[in-house]
């Protein structure tokens, strides 16, 4: 009986250890994806700011051209 309990405990511990390793892997993967997405968001925001700057310059040029007409 003790051998059976020991085997069950070993199996339970191994399952717990595997679950912890799976959890840790999932957390690391989520952190990496979050960092990547944050970097992509920053890059997209920079592009948006640049495009907004270009749009503002073009609008001012258009307004100047319309004022000269």
């Amino acid at each position: 009986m003790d051998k059976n309990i020991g085997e069950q405990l070993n199996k339970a511990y191994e399952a717990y250890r595997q679950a912890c390793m799976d959890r840790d892997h999932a957390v690391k993967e989520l952190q990496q994806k979050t960092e990547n997405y944050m970097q992509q968001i920053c890059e997209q925001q920079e592009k948006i700011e640049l495009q907004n700057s270009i749009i503002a310059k073009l609008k001012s040029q258009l307004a100047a051209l319309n004022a000269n007409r």
Side-chain angles (χ1 to χ4, degrees):
M1 187 80 173
D2 289 336
K3 183 180 178 185
N4 191 23
I5 291 174
E7 287 177 11
Q8 288 178 345
L9 285 173
N10 284 338
K11 286 180 182 179
Y13 174 74
E14 182 58 31
Y16 171 77
R17 189 177 76 80
Q18 185 62 44
C20 289
M21 289 183 352
D22 291 346
R23 179 202 63 210
D24 292 345
H25 176 73
V27 166
K28 286 179 184 177
E29 187 177 351
L30 180 61
Q31 287 173 338
Q32 184 64 43
K33 285 183 178 183
T34 301
E35 290 172 11
N36 290 343
Y37 290 142
M38 293 301 293
Q39 180 64 33
Q40 289 176 359
I41 288 170
C42 287
E43 291 170 2
Q44 292 298 321
Q45 286 175 332
E46 289 174 6
K47 287 180 183 179
I48 289 170
E49 289 174 12
L50 176 61
Q51 290 177 347
N52 282 338
S53 167
I54 292 169
I55 289 170
K57 288 178 185 177
L58 290 172
K59 282 182 178 180
S60 67
Q61 289 175 359
L62 181 60
L65 286 174
N66 285 338
N68 289 337
R69 289 186 178 174

